Amino acid sequence: MAAPTAGQSPTVTRATEAEFALLEQLLQLYLHDFSEHAGYDVDGQGRYPYAWLDAYREEPERHAYVIRVGAHPAGFALVRAEDPVQMAEFFVLRKYRRAGVGARAACEIIARHPGHWSISQLATNSSATEFWRRVIPEEFEETVHADGTVEQRFVAGDDIAR
């Protein structure tokens, strides 16, 4: 497949039960990338553990999304629809980065969950902070916490008037 162009629109769908195996694979790539910032190690089988994936199957306030470009998986998002809504994990494969895929997918996911939002990044992950500063479709307040974590808070969609 040719490299994506800025005009390629991703599709974002709720993960079906059958797609959780795909999510597990994509999580391994995400956690590998993220280990640079979080210091994660693989387990004895060479895999990065992620304790919460089953919660996205079972808990109604957790939402797992698959991002695709054409027929190809391009990433995922895990959202906790609490108050505030939290983007727990967001990942786009390197091939699709800087082509607008992540920005379009993020905006679509945010639009699906109107209300108060919180999105956080580790202090060492400046590229993620730059991404969210560019992509959040509403005005936001940003806080840098004592541990260096950067957090954006905003109100999305129908809840803007509240």
Side-chain angles (χ1 to χ4, degrees):
M1 178 175 166
T5 65
Q8 283 187 292
S9 291
T11 57
V12 177
T13 57
R14 283 288 298 266
T16 65
E17 184 61 34
E19 290 173 315
F20 271 82
L22 168 63
L23 283 175
E24 287 182 84
Q25 287 300 114
L26 293 173
L27 263 165
Q28 290 302 298
L29 299 172
Y30 165 75
L31 293 168
H32 174 264
D33 279 3
F34 202 61
S35 69
E36 175 182 0
H37 304 287
Y40 297 151
D41 284 316
V42 295
D43 63 16
Q45 287 74 46
R47 296 184 54 81
Y48 292 96
Y50 187 81
W52 303 280
L53 188 58
D54 283 339
Y56 286 88
R57 286 182 167 110
E58 300 161 2
E59 297 177 18
E61 71 277 0
R62 293 182 187 250
H63 305 276
Y65 295 98
V66 176
I67 302 165
R68 285 190 167 77
V69 172
H72 300 279
F76 69 89
L78 301 178
V79 174
R80 290 191 304 261
E82 301 168 344
D83 189 16
V85 179
Q86 297 175 341
M87 185 70 72
E89 318 291 351
F90 184 85
F91 176 69
V92 174
L93 290 166
R94 290 181 184 267
K95 174 180 180 173
Y96 298 103
R97 294 179 191 171
R98 307 218 187 290
V101 170
R104 288 183 184 97
C107 288
E108 183 174 332
I109 292 163
I110 290 168
R112 290 182 185 193
H113 298 277
H116 294 261
W117 271 82
S118 170
I119 300 177
S120 298
Q121 308 88 53
L122 294 179
T124 59
N125 197 350
S126 59
S127 60
T129 299
E130 291 169 19
F131 171 81
W132 289 111
R133 285 176 179 161
R134 257 190 347 267
V135 169
I136 293 172
E138 312 293 348
E139 288 187 36
F140 60 86
E141 293 182 12
E142 185 171 282
T143 303
V144 178
H145 296 281
D147 65 357
T149 300
V150 180
E151 176 188 24
Q152 295 85 22
R153 289 185 163 266
F154 59 97
V155 181
D158 296 337
D159 276 8
I160 291 174
R162 292 184 194 174

